[in-house]
Amino acid sequence: MKPAPFDYYAPETLEEAIALLVRFEEEGLEARIIAGGQSLMPMLSLRVARPEVLVDLRRIGGLDHIRDEGATIAIGAMASKRAAEDSPLVRERQPLFHAATLNVGHRAIRAQGSVGGSFANADPASEYPATAIALDMQLKAVGPDGERLIAARDFFVTYLTTDLASTEILTEVRMPVLAPGTGWSFYEVSRRKGDFAMAGCAVLLTLGGGRISSARIVVF
C-alpha cells in the first residue's frame, strides 16, 4: 500500500514547528511529527496512520545531543539510535538503555531512527517505552505554553498513545545513570534478529544490606 495523501512541512526552528502545529490544530487538521521515520513510515504505508500534514524535524538544530549531566544522561530527541549505541557515556553509565538500543532493528535502521521517535510513537513492541518505565525516565516536551517534564509512567497512556498534546514536541529524554549496587537485564524474543519483539523484559535490581532493596520489572 501507499500512504494516504498529506501535506509536508520542514521547519528550521523549534518555534516554527510549534507554530505550525498550533495553526493546524486551529484549522482542524491532523498533523504528525516525523523524525527519523523508521516507526512512522511503515504506519503511513499501511495506512494505520493517516495524518493530513507531516511536520519534519530534521532541519531543526540542537536536538541531537547526548550529554552528561552528572547523575543524569540527557539525549536529544533527534539523536540517532546509532549515536546512542556508539556513545561511551551511554554504554558505561546506563548499560540497560544501551542494551535496549542494540535490540532495535539492525544497525542501518538505528542509523536513521531517532531516539525520540520510539518514545513518541509508543509502540507496545518497542524496546524504549519499557526501558523508560524501568529507569523512571523523564521526557521533556515543548509547546506554545513552554516546556514540561513528564515522568515515563505518565507519558505512556496506552498503546500508540502518549500524554503529548497535539501542539507539543518531544525534545529530550532524561535518564538516571546506573546506581551503585544495581544490576540489570534486558531480553526479548523475536522470530528473527531485528524483527518486532513478540515479548521482552527489562529488569533493575538494587542490593542493600545483603538483600534486594529495590526491584523494577517491566514486560512488553
Side-chain angles (χ1 to χ4, degrees):
M1 293 181 65
K2 295 181 179 180
F6 57 82
D7 291 331
Y8 173 83
Y9 293 80
E12 297 187 357
T13 67
L14 187 60
E15 292 76 14
E16 183 183 351
I18 293 170
L20 284 170
L21 294 178
V22 170
R23 170 188 149 192
F24 298 139
E25 183 182 56
E26 292 173 346
E27 293 175 354
L29 299 175
E30 181 186 354
R32 289 289 297 267
I33 295 292
I34 185 168
Q38 299 304 292
S39 297
L40 183 58
M41 288 307 297
M43 295 171 65
L44 293 175
S45 296
L46 293 171
R47 300 201 175 190
V48 174
R50 301 182 62 165
E52 297 164 281
V53 180
L54 285 186
V55 179
D56 194 335
L57 302 185
R58 283 178 289 184
R59 291 186 181 180
I60 299 176
L63 297 180
D64 60 354
H65 56 275
I66 299 178
R67 191 163 54 230
D68 185 350
E69 297 188 351
T72 302
I73 298 172
I75 303 181
M78 290 300 292
S80 71
K81 293 181 177 71
R82 191 169 77 178
E85 173 186 356
D86 292 341
S87 168
L89 173 64
V90 175
R91 182 175 62 251
E92 295 166 9
R93 304 200 69 196
Q94 191 36 266
L96 175 58
F97 186 80
H98 187 260
T101 301
L102 293 178
N103 279 273
V104 178
H106 300 281
R107 187 163 168 83
I109 291 174
R110 296 193 291 271
Q112 296 296 321
S114 67
V115 168
S118 288
F119 294 98
N121 277 291
D123 191 318
S126 177
E127 295 81 1
Y128 277 0
T131 306
I133 294 172
L135 294 176
D136 202 18
M137 292 172 59
Q138 292 186 313
L139 300 99
K140 182 186 292 187
V142 179
D145 297 323
E147 67 177 44
R148 62 186 180 120
L149 284 176
I150 311 167
R153 65 178 60 198
D154 298 321
F155 183 82
F156 302 106
V157 176
T158 186
Y159 301 148
L160 304 174
T161 306
T162 73
D163 189 53
L164 284 173
S166 59
T167 55
E168 287 184 314
I169 295 173
L170 177 65
T171 59
E172 184 180 83
V173 299
R174 303 175 63 81
M175 66 194 75
V177 301
L178 193 68
T182 299
W184 62 273
S185 181
F186 185 93
Y187 188 78
E188 71 175 46
V189 178
S190 59
R191 290 184 175 86
R192 297 173 301 176
K193 172 64 177 173
D195 282 1
F196 282 115
M198 295 187 293
C201 187
V203 179
L204 284 174
L205 293 178
T206 302
L207 300 179
R211 65 181 62 187
I212 295 175
S213 59
S214 173
R216 300 180 72 91
I217 303 171
V218 182
V219 295
F220 63 99

